[in-house]
Amino acid sequence: MRLLDRSLGRLSRHRRGPVAGLLVLLLGLLLTGGLYSAFSPASAQTDNSAAQIASGRKLFLVGCSFCHGQSGQGVKTLDGNQLGPSLVGVGAAAVDFQVGTGRMPVAQPGAQIPQKEVAYTPQEIADMAAYVASLGPGPEIPTTQDYSLDGLSPAARQEMIVQGGLIFRTNCTACHNFEGAGGAMPQGGYAPKILGVEPKYIYEAMLTGPQAMDNFSNGNLSPAEKRDIIAYLQSLKDSPDYGGFGLGGIGPVSEGLAAWLVGIGGLVGVATWIAAHTARTSRTKAKVQA
Ligand code: HEC
Ligand code: HEC
């Protein structure tokens, strides 16, 4: 408390001095920080040309048909288990998600298919996606407009984060936990941590409902609602960058406020200390000279 009193005393003594200047500078920096948005989504669009489908089919026959069948119809083992399900109608989005996140091709079947190194180039993935899309109508790969948050005003973004938080808490926390940290599922599976997942794959996960996850088609959750969720998850992912502590996932607004108060409080403290320190040094010098 004494320390606080002292620094507050100093703050008021130096109100018109260097501290005021520093505060103005800090405010300026903060405003700039608010305008900053960090992300650069990459996308490989499918162009459904016959050549692309043909090249996708070739890749599919080599890498996927063993489990999914020569024409993607699925393969049953002799004891009636599914070696790989039918891919007719799963759509390009499912292929982009499964292969793009390194889940497919499966190396080791188990309770849940884990993520591995991605085995194909973006072009090859796009080709196979085009082939699977040609088997039957299904969800397409979302475009950058569907999931990108670039070019939004900070206010619009904040609005989306709040909305997204509400939608996330209603639809996703049962499996992924309040902070998107993941959790166990029945039968040895798990819902993964979803902070840091690329926006495109968040969108596709909702669209296609991989493995034990529910499917949130665009009829269920509109594209705008999906984008709100992406904004919310992005804000959760970004918040540790303030150098803060976990606040138990009480929500982006209170967490943002805490980060603001603690972070800025700290900076102001440091600024005050520096200013006071220099002032005192120069006063001592002045005394010495006198
Ligand atoms: C060793 C067998 C195996 C191989 C090889 C394999 N898959 Fe699969 N695949 C599976 C199984 C099993 C599932 C079902 C996973 C689940 O939902 O539990 C699956 C699921 C999928 C799905 C999701 C279907 C849906 O309903 O959303 C896609 C898409 C897919 N695979 C694409 C591919 C592609 C493309 C390749 C080749 C690059 C491939 N798979 C290779 C076994 C395999
Ligand atoms: C019924 C439980 C359940 C619900 C509800 C659920 N998920 Fe999932 N989710 C899962 C499981 C299980 C996986 C892992 C699937 C896999 O590995 O193939 C997953 C995977 C994901 C992934 C992919 C993560 C990665 O590492 O690639 C994302 C993103 C995701 N979920 C987002 C969501 C969002 C957003 C919602 C709400 C709209 C949601 N999930 C609702 C169970 C669930």
Side-chain angles (χ1 to χ4, degrees):
M1 249 355 254
R2 281 227 320 265
L3 212 107
L4 187 66
D5 282 349
R6 258 199 284 158
S7 52
L8 281 178
R10 265 183 209 145
L11 189 59
S12 50
R13 252 190 285 138
H14 294 280
R15 187 171 290 152
R16 275 174 290 268
V19 175
L22 265 168
L23 283 179
V24 170
L25 187 70
L26 273 176
L27 280 175
L29 282 173
L30 277 172
L31 280 176
T32 336
L35 297 172
Y36 161 85
S37 73
F39 79 61
S40 50
S43 74
Q45 296 304 351
T46 34
D47 106 56
N48 285 347
S49 66
Q52 187 173 31
I53 292 172
S55 110
R57 178 163 182 273
K58 247 185 241 152
L59 291 163
F60 186 90
L61 286 176
V62 175
C64 325
S65 61
F66 175 72
C67 298
H68 289 291
Q70 296 288 316
S71 43
Q73 77 282 20
V75 173
K76 272 208 168 77
T77 55
L78 286 177
D79 53 7
N81 283 328
Q82 198 77 254
L83 199 54
S86 162
L87 298 183
V88 177
V90 301
V95 175
D96 194 57
F97 176 81
Q98 297 284 347
V99 185
T101 60
R103 287 177 166 85
M104 292 288 140
V106 179
Q108 254 178 338
Q112 181 158 339
I113 291 153
Q115 282 186 257
K116 309 168 293 298
E117 287 277 307
V118 178
Y120 294 89
T121 66
Q123 187 58 54
E124 289 170 333
I125 297 173
D127 291 354
M128 287 190 289
Y131 167 66
V132 169
S134 77
L135 302 174
E140 286 180 20
I141 299 174
T143 63
T144 327
Q145 280 112 300
D146 290 325
Y147 53 79
S148 168
L149 308 174
D150 284 350
L152 286 169
S153 72
R157 200 186 173 108
Q158 194 57 41
E159 174 68 32
M160 288 174 68
I161 292 172
V162 173
Q163 276 305 111
L166 291 175
I167 306 167
F168 186 84
R169 278 187 282 274
T170 315
N171 294 287
C172 322
T173 45
C175 302
H176 288 287
N177 147 309
F178 283 97
E179 292 185 296
M185 298 277 296
Q187 274 136 28
Y190 54 90
K193 178 171 183 271
I194 52 178
L195 299 187
V197 176
E198 263 182 56
K200 180 171 74 158
Y201 296 132
I202 300 177
Y203 200 107
E204 288 176 349
M206 290 188 265
L207 207 54
T208 64
Q211 299 190 62
M213 178 162 157
D214 295 338
N215 186 314
F216 299 89
S217 68
N218 282 344
N220 259 337
L221 262 189
S222 72
E225 289 171 320
K226 288 190 171 73
R227 215 157 72 108
D228 290 346
I229 291 185
I230 290 171
Y232 173 69
L233 289 175
Q234 199 70 28
S235 78
L236 283 187
K237 181 190 129 251
D238 288 346
S239 54
D241 290 350
Y242 288 104
F245 312 90
L247 293 179
I250 36 183
V253 176
S254 40
E255 282 177 358
L257 188 65
W260 181 274
L261 290 180
V262 174
I264 306 319
L267 284 177
V268 169
V270 169
T272 316
W273 184 86
I274 292 173
H277 195 74
T278 359
R280 208 196 294 140
T281 326
S282 50
R283 224 182 301 137
T284 333
K285 256 194 222 135
K287 240 183 251 160
V288 171
Q289 275 168 2

